[in-house]
Amino acid sequence: MTIKVYNTLNNRKEEFVPIEPGKAKIYVCGVTPYNHPHVGNARPFVTWDVIHRFLEHEGYDVTHVQNFTDVDDKIINTANKEGVQWFDVCNRYIDSYFEVMDKLNVKRVHVYPRVSEHIPDIIATVQGLIDKGHAYPMDGDVYYSVESFKEYGKLSGRNLEDMQAGARIEVDDRKRNPYDFALWKAAKPGEPAWESPWGPGRPGWHIECSTMSMKYLGQNFDFHGGGSDLIFPHHENEIAQSEGCTDCKFVNYWLHNGFITVNEEKMSKSLGNFFMVCDILEHYEPETLRFFIVSTHYRSPLDFSDARLTEADKSLARLRAAKEAVEEMARMLAVGPNPYSLALRKKAAKAREDFMEAMRDDFNTALAISYMFALAKDIQSYKKALAKENARPDGKLIAMYKDIFAEMCSIIGVMENTAAVEKEAAPAEAEGNSKEAQLVEMIIKQRQEAKAAKDYATADKLRNELLEIGIALQDTKEGVKWSKVN
């Protein structure tokens, strides 16, 4: 089962082929902690949380790194304005970041490196670029020479000659080219500074991500993500720095989420339509905001408005109602199948298959969620049919509904606390010494091996065959759990 991703580097969908089989290495540009996270911050982190979840679901061992830019002009200005230390500002808003993301059910990544904790690494990277002729010191500053990197512009599609001809940037006579950018900035009064071979100073913006991503993920890794606004100059400069330093490809797949508009206007402080997540959550549940974000494909523009948040809330309520309907039917005494419930079993399996295929097609959450609604519709129709005929439910069908719904919710990251209905059957541990339990565990092991080998057809076949004989599987964070169903 192939995963396809839209690679900004080549402007087309490509099959994801990991550098190391069975592993996926991810770096996502994090926040500059000088204020509370805004809705524009929330989108990439929710997006990459879903991608992280799905890659793990598909059997990949994920390493996910996301930085904090804790040395920056905005932080310094905020600290000076408030009369506090720059690190006090950083710590305050990093705490705010985690508080908000926890509410949005964004899983913690593996490493959150800070610029201030990697100064020696950054200095070593800058010195390496100087040694290779890609950078030059000037009066305590160090600049990257864009002309030294022949592929400069390959991510953004910009031509350096055309850029120079139409340059409107501020002229600095010390620079060899107007587009040369700072790797190291000489110290100024009222700013934090560290000793370096070029005198006291601090890192430029772009060098941090090159240094920290390669430190934790290696010189070449799988995914680099962020907002579309970072393609140029930030990610373009990252490529120039990293590949100039290592002489090898930096990142295989560049993924960028679309812009956020507010009532169809670009979000900006000057327009007064800049919304902090903490303010939004005073009026809407965190799960509603998360569902709103993932209901649109990550590459598409996302228009933020009260009307759309209200719509997302109503849509989520429909899914909750379907889950409650499954719970209600699960409490009823179950019976065997009939032609109608057998047809619904096939539709449920197809909904799961379609959901997974949508996710494998560039993580298309919008399409995947449509199959959640299709499943919810069938659940409600079945409940009504049972009520009309005063009939009992098909036990295996209800087990399928519970299992598939929980699986979908765990990937999208909604209704996780209640989506997986408690099993009424005795746990596997109670039968641990029986031959039946040993056989089931053996099949589970075979299924896990099939998933690890990306043989999803076999994995699904084993799961369905167990269900046919009354054994339901549930994938959880603690591993695979199984129980008997009627």
Side-chain angles (χ1 to χ4, degrees):
M1 304 277 183
T2 301
I3 295 176
K4 293 184 178 180
V5 299
Y6 187 90
N7 190 352
T8 308
L9 187 63
N10 301 317
N11 290 317
R12 64 173 181 265
K13 286 184 184 178
E14 299 176 348
E15 178 183 347
F16 169 52
V17 180
I19 296 168
E20 295 183 58
K23 296 186 177 182
K25 296 182 178 181
I26 300 169
Y27 185 86
V28 179
C29 289
V31 297
T32 301
Y34 72 98
N35 207 335
H36 298 289
H38 54 74
V39 67
N41 297 138
R43 187 179 195 188
F45 306 134
V46 170
T47 293
W48 279 98
D49 180 59
V50 173
I51 293 173
H52 181 158
R53 288 164 180 262
F54 185 68
L55 289 171
E56 286 189 335
H57 175 274
E58 295 293 270
Y60 288 96
D61 178 11
V62 176
T63 303
H64 191 165
V65 179
Q66 180 183 306
N67 73 302
F68 286 113
T69 301
D70 67 343
V71 180
D72 182 86
D73 290 340
K74 294 174 182 177
I75 294 169
I76 296 167
N77 293 339
T78 300
N80 291 340
K81 183 178 179 180
E82 295 182 2
V84 299
Q85 295 293 325
W86 62 273
F87 48 80
D88 291 329
V89 172
C90 294
N91 291 336
R92 178 200 313 161
Y93 292 117
I94 287 174
D95 288 344
S96 176
Y97 168 85
F98 283 122
E99 181 181 357
V100 163
M101 295 304 150
D102 286 347
K103 289 179 180 178
L104 294 179
N105 199 23
V106 173
K107 294 167 62 174
R108 299 292 175 98
V109 306
H110 298 94
V111 188
Y112 289 99
R114 301 190 188 193
V115 178
S116 62
E117 296 172 350
H118 293 79
I119 300 299
D121 299 308
I122 291 171
I123 289 173
T125 303
V126 174
Q127 186 61 60
L129 288 168
I130 293 173
D131 294 343
K132 288 196 169 189
H134 288 292
Y136 55 94
M138 188 71 67
D139 301 329
D141 297 326
V142 180
Y143 293 100
Y144 186 94
S145 173
V146 294
E147 291 178 312
S148 73
F149 186 68
K150 297 186 182 300
E151 294 185 284
Y152 191 80
K154 65 179 179 179
L155 179 68
S156 61
R158 302 188 182 208
N159 181 283
L160 186 57
E161 292 182 1
D162 293 341
M163 290 165 57
Q164 291 170 329
R168 292 185 177 180
I169 62 175
E170 183 179 350
V171 176
D172 185 337
D173 293 335
R174 299 179 306 157
K175 295 197 293 184
R176 298 175 184 175
N177 184 293
Y179 282 92
D180 289 353
F181 55 89
L183 301 174
W184 187 263
K185 298 180 178 181
K188 296 179 181 177
E191 294 185 354
W194 291 264
E195 289 299 325
S196 79
W198 320 286
R202 60 185 175 91
W205 173 29
H206 314 293
I207 194 65
E208 63 180 88
C209 287
S210 290
T211 300
M212 294 190 294
S213 62
M214 292 192 292
K215 179 180 178 69
Y216 294 102
L217 299 175
Q219 295 180 351
N220 174 221
F221 55 92
D222 299 294
F223 293 107
H224 196 314
S228 297
D229 56 318
L230 296 180
I231 295 174
F232 188 88
H234 185 50
H235 289 165
E236 192 73 73
N237 291 351
E238 276 191 64
I239 291 175
Q241 294 165 160
S242 304
E243 297 186 3
C245 183
T246 66
D247 296 319
C248 71
K249 189 173 185 179
F250 177 40
V251 173
N252 284 9
Y253 305 94
W254 289 86
L255 276 62
H256 293 92
N257 60 270
F259 291 106
I260 287 187
T261 58
V262 178
N263 294 317
E264 300 183 351
E265 288 188 316
K266 185 177 179 181
M267 186 177 73
S268 71
K269 291 181 179 178
S270 61
L271 294 175
N273 60 358
F274 202 77
F275 291 94
M276 301 298 177
V277 176
C278 57
D279 295 331
I280 297 169
L281 297 186
E282 290 182 2
H283 305 282
Y284 296 93
E285 291 296 322
E287 198 166 60
T288 297
L289 179 57
R290 181 186 177 98
F291 190 71
F292 163 75
I293 291 171
V294 300
S295 294
T296 297
H297 188 276
Y298 77 89
R299 283 193 290 114
S300 300
L302 178 63
D303 189 50
F304 179 87
S305 68
D306 283 333
R308 286 177 169 81
L309 274 173
T310 300
E311 182 182 339
D313 192 50
K314 291 179 180 177
S315 297
L316 193 55
R318 287 167 53 197
L319 295 181
R320 290 195 186 106
K323 177 194 69 65
E324 291 167 2
V326 173
E327 291 176 344
E328 184 178 336
M329 288 187 285
R331 291 191 290 269
M332 300 167 64
L333 184 62
V335 296
N338 58 35
Y340 178 45
S341 69
L342 286 173
L344 286 178
R345 288 188 195 181
K346 291 182 179 179
K347 288 188 71 176
K350 184 65 164 57
R352 178 189 180 277
E353 179 184 337
D354 291 340
F355 176 97
M356 297 305 169
E357 282 304 307
M359 290 300 299
R360 291 181 188 121
D361 185 10
D362 197 30
F363 313 111
N364 193 338
T365 54
L367 181 58
I369 287 171
S370 73
Y371 298 118
M372 294 181 73
F373 283 112
L375 186 67
K377 182 178 180 182
D378 285 345
I379 289 170
Q380 296 288 20
S381 295
Y382 185 54
K383 181 186 174 187
K384 289 178 182 178
L386 292 176
K388 183 178 180 180
E389 299 175 12
N390 194 26
R392 295 175 180 175
D394 174 349
K396 290 181 184 178
L397 174 61
I398 300 305
M400 288 182 71
Y401 281 151
K402 290 193 289 188
D403 192 39
I404 294 171
F405 219 78
E407 189 177 20
M408 291 174 169
C409 288
S410 70
I411 292 169
I412 298 300
V414 296
M415 302 190 300
E416 286 195 281
N417 294 333
T418 54
V421 181
E422 294 81 2
K423 304 291 185 181
E424 296 179 2
E429 289 79 4
E431 307 170 31
N433 295 323
S434 71
K435 291 183 178 180
E436 180 186 47
Q438 293 174 26
L439 287 171
V440 172
E441 293 297 339
M442 186 183 303
I443 295 172
I444 289 173
K445 182 179 179 182
Q446 292 175 351
R447 176 174 173 264
Q448 294 302 95
E449 290 173 350
K451 287 180 69 175
K454 305 295 184 294
D455 184 1
Y456 301 107
T458 298
D460 289 345
K461 183 173 181 289
L462 291 171
R463 179 195 199 110
N464 293 334
E465 286 178 349
L466 280 176
L467 191 59
E468 284 298 320
I469 61 172
I471 303 294
L473 301 185
Q474 182 181 357
D475 293 306
T476 73
K477 294 178 181 178
E478 292 76 31
V480 181
K481 296 182 180 180
W482 65 272
S483 63
K484 292 183 178 181
V485 295
N486 294 324

